[in-house]
Amino acid sequence: MPYKTAVGTTYDSGDFEPMLDKALALADYDGFKKTPPRGAKARQVSRLRAVLHARTFRRLSGRKRDAQFPGDGTLLLSLNVQNTGQAMPRCFRASSAERLGIPFEKIPHRNGDSSNELPGYASVGSRSAMTAGHSIAKAMDTIIAKGKPIAAAMLEAGETDIAYKDGKFEVVGTDRRVALFEVAARAAEMKKRGEIAEDLDTKTTTETPLTFPNGVHIAEVEIDPRPAT
């Protein structure tokens, strides 16, 4: 390590043999063929038994994210990954809701769409949650940062006196506060009038250094090869 592949990707690190050895030991791989072999009992009842192992190797990198305030009291969340039945949208929405301190139900999700300048990207298992998480955090922080000067003007306070907490911008040390969605609505009006260049709608691209997590799966399988009757 580092190891450069034929297609130009460089694996920066990896200690694969100890992981494989540990997995084989946990599965008692060597014991499968010991006398009497574990498959012997299966053959007595005309079944076949085998043990298989497979390695996984993944590439993790950046993602794009789009967050829009459509004006109906929600924050529409879009990422350039697709839902593949692994509850990814729920994970993305929950992360955004926690970061902003707003109800989960206030954040609908839309799959990546190239017509919205979010070219689709393969979800490829759990890596989307990890890589999209970085992009989600960046977008939420950007929304808060863009909202502070708007909130300051609404609350007639200095921007340095504005803090964000639990879905609201507030003047530190007082009970004066304004909700995120109110600030988003005001920002949209100000942009429409040409008073500001950007509202709180936020599109971010997060490019993180590539990482290459890996794992081992071992399965011991028994089948009945006889036709069903």
Side-chain angles (χ1 to χ4, degrees), residues 62-82:
R63 287 290 186 270
K64 292 184 179 180
R65 184 183 192 285
D66 187 17
Q68 298 177 333
F69 292 87
D72 58 358
T74 65
L75 173 62
L76 180 60
L77 179 66
S78 303
L79 288 97
N80 67 331
V81 292
Q82 304 299 316

Side-chain angles (χ1 to χ4, degrees), residues 69 146 184 186-189 191-192 196-202:
F69 292 87
K146 291 198 298 184
R186 177 65 63 85
E189 294 174 2
K191 181 182 178 182
K192 190 179 296 184
I196 57 174
E198 290 187 54
D199 53 19
L200 266 59
D201 289 355
T202 300

Side-chain angles (χ1 to χ4, degrees), residues 110-130:
R110 179 175 60 191
N111 282 327
D113 189 336
S114 58
S115 65
N116 296 319
E117 300 180 12
L118 285 170
Y121 198 88
S123 295
V124 194
S126 60
R127 78 177 186 182
S128 289
M130 292 177 281

Side-chain angles (χ1 to χ4, degrees), residues 103-199:
F104 175 87
E105 296 75 16
K106 294 286 187 179
I107 307 181
H109 171 266
R110 179 175 60 191
N111 282 327
D113 189 336
S114 58
S115 65
N116 296 319
E117 300 180 12
L118 285 170
Y121 198 88
S123 295
V124 194
S126 60
R127 78 177 186 182
S128 289
M130 292 177 281
T131 56
H134 186 190
S135 186
I136 285 172
K138 179 179 177 181
M140 297 302 102
D141 289 347
T142 300
I143 287 172
I144 294 171
K146 291 198 298 184
K148 279 189 175 182
I150 309 299
M154 295 173 70
L155 295 169
E156 299 181 341
E159 184 178 343
T160 56
D161 294 326
I162 299 297
Y164 183 84
K165 181 181 179 182
D166 298 332
K168 297 180 177 65
F169 294 92
E170 61 182 28
V171 180
V172 177
T174 75
D175 61 355
R176 295 163 57 202
R177 57 183 56 89
V178 61
L180 170 64
F181 291 108
E182 293 179 61
V183 175
R186 177 65 63 85
E189 294 174 2
M190 294 174 69
K191 181 182 178 182
K192 190 179 296 184
R193 293 195 298 263
E195 298 173 11
I196 57 174
E198 290 187 54
D199 53 19

Side-chain angles (χ1 to χ4, degrees), residues 2 8 13 18 30 43 46 50 61 85 96-97 99 106 127-128 175 197 225 227:
S13 61
D30 290 338
R43 287 194 294 273
S46 300
S61 59
S96 301
R99 194 82 175 186
K106 294 286 187 179
R127 78 177 186 182
S128 289
D175 61 355

